Amino acid sequence: DADVTQTPRNRITKTGKRIMLECSQTKGHDRMYWYRQDPGLGLRLIYYSFDVKDINKGEISDGYSVSRQAQAKFSLSLESAIPNQTALYFCATSDRRTTDTQYFGPGTRLTVL
Amino acid sequence: EDKVVQSPLSLVVHEGDTVTLNCSYEVTNFRSLLWYKQEKKAPTFLFMLTSSGIEKKSGRLSSILDKKELSSILNITATQTGDSAIYLCAVDKRDDKIIFGKGTRLHILP
């Protein structure tokens, strides 16, 4: 089984709809991240969480919100989706006790029409 | 403003060639530099570099950090078509943020 899973893997939605992307991990890591990837821009950090009670904005948090429901779960919400939020979204985890290595989920391709 | 710049943005070579990918950075509170390989979708971790001048090696891939020049290179020798991917460089900061470059898209021709 994959250590970091994301659901859904693909989603097409319309402008104005609320969307939630979910991330679960079985690695026991305390840190979780949400990124988006756009062609030519690399990965950009949306939000990150160092534990259940610690949520931080990344470089492009506007239009997004997150919830860390448990150590193993970190969800990303688009309250009112817009077309420029069409992108590939990655969840990642890391453990501060070992290395700074991040482990990525398989990604969610979101298309906002 | 923190930034990580990779070059070239894209590269096409023939199988068997050796390639060198570059990453330069300007960030505050540098902690480490990371290289990832991204095929199809999710990036996979390659190297973490914290000390200047110490080469890290994994098979045909190697990487080294130059803190004086604020840069790193990723070398791939005897390239294979399976090396075709986007290679991402990132800098991990002491405030626990990670800044990514835009990546180098490498295509290996058979």
Side-chain angles (χ1 to χ4, degrees):
Chain A
D1 288 338
D3 294 318
V4 184
T5 57
Q6 292 182 232
T7 56
R9 296 293 307 279
N10 286 283
R11 182 72 183 268
I12 299 173
T13 191
K14 294 182 178 179
T15 297
K17 294 290 187 182
R18 184 177 187 275
I19 294 294
M20 179 181 285
L21 309 183
E22 298 189 6
C23 177
S24 295
Q25 52 119 344
T26 59
K27 299 187 76 66
H29 287 171
D30 50 350
R31 298 178 171 185
M32 298 186 75
Y33 309 79
W34 274 106
Y35 295 92
R36 65 177 279 175
Q37 179 166 325
D38 299 274
L41 291 176
L43 287 170
R44 291 184 292 167
L45 183 62
I46 306 172
Y47 271 96
Y48 59 104
S49 168
F50 287 162
D51 65 38
V52 174
K53 297 180 181 179
D54 181 62
I55 304 287
N56 303 281
K57 292 183 177 182
E59 59 183 299
I60 54 161
S61 58
D62 288 346
Y64 301 94
S65 62
V66 291
S67 173
R68 185 85 184 264
Q69 302 95 320
Q71 188 187 31
K73 294 185 184 296
F74 192 37
S75 60
L76 176 72
S77 293
L78 288 68
E79 296 300 325
S80 179
I82 56 176
N84 77 0
Q85 291 177 312
T86 294
L88 193 54
Y89 289 85
F90 287 106
C91 172
T93 73
S94 69
D95 184 346
R96 65 183 173 193
R97 295 170 298 175
T98 53
T99 69
D100 298 317
T101 303
Q102 293 197 5
Y103 296 84
F104 286 83
T108 295
R109 184 171 295 282
L110 177 66
T111 303
V112 183
L113 301 175
Chain B
E1 183 185 347
D2 295 328
K3 60 180 179 180
V4 176
V5 179
Q6 292 186 244
S7 63
L9 289 181
S10 65
L11 185 59
V12 181
V13 299
H14 285 96
E15 206 168 21
D17 288 350
T18 293
V19 297
T20 298
L21 309 184
N22 300 285
C23 177
S24 63
Y25 60 91
E26 291 179 27
V27 302
T28 56
N29 299 312
F30 174 91
R31 177 160 61 189
S32 63
L33 186 141
L34 311 167
W35 282 99
Y36 292 88
K37 177 182 181 183
Q38 182 174 353
E39 299 173 274
K40 297 178 185 178
K41 280 198 171 183
T44 53
F45 173 77
L46 293 176
F47 297 110
M48 180 175 73
L49 305 163
T50 52
S51 301
S52 203
I54 298 175
E55 185 183 53
K56 291 218 172 173
K57 227 173 144 54
S58 176
R60 295 176 294 103
L61 277 68
S62 63
S63 184
I64 195 163
L65 176 67
D66 186 337
K67 283 187 175 179
K68 187 178 176 184
E69 296 296 326
L70 304 182
S71 66
S72 174
I73 58 171
L74 174 68
N75 279 319
I76 309 175
T77 59
T79 52
Q80 303 171 358
T81 55
D83 295 327
S84 295
I86 296 172
Y87 289 84
L88 293 169
C89 172
V91 169
D92 184 23
K93 297 177 55 172
R94 292 186 188 282
D95 59 6
D96 295 318
K97 290 185 180 175
I98 295 183
I99 312 295
F100 281 85
K102 293 184 179 182
T104 293
R105 184 179 292 274
L106 177 64
H107 185 60
I108 310 296
L109 299 172

